[in-house]
Amino acid sequence: MVASVAPFVAIQQRANAAVMQRLANAVARVDGGEPFGVIFESPYGDAFGGDVDSRSPQCKGSAEMLGSLQRGDAILIDSISYRVQDVEPDGAGLVMVRLIQEGD
């Protein structure tokens, strides 16, 4: 029924699954659950108006796996502990999660 009303939904779900299957470069776990693939990056972050050089770790993954995260939640990525700083759903089935490494 959904496919006949919104045919792009199935295509979008297949595209998101293919992106995660082919581009995931890290393994994440939430609350000790099953591991799953995410796209992890740690680009340069401009802290305090450029006065401090830093990194801004983030991961992107499926809304199914990351969508329930909230600020302050714990997530383990490649055996490194992080806390969630911000969660940004893209409205198309993927979620960007901005992270803070534990101990920083």
Side-chain angles (χ1 to χ4, degrees), residues 42-81:
S42 189
Y44 173 79
D46 189 7
F48 301 105
D51 293 337
V52 178
D53 291 337
S54 67
R55 289 280 169 210
S56 181
Q58 55 196 19
C59 71
K60 190 167 200 162
S62 72
E64 178 183 348
M65 302 306 291
L66 298 173
S68 65
L69 289 174
Q70 297 179 8
R71 183 182 198 105
D73 286 349
I75 184 170
L76 194 66
I77 299 178
D78 288 344
S79 301
I80 299 172
S81 296

Side-chain angles (χ1 to χ4, degrees), residues 58-61 69 86-91 94-98:
Q58 55 196 19
C59 71
K60 190 167 200 162
L69 289 174
D86 191 28
V87 179
E88 298 177 15
D90 71 357
L94 297 177
V95 176
M96 174 69 72
V97 181
R98 300 194 192 288

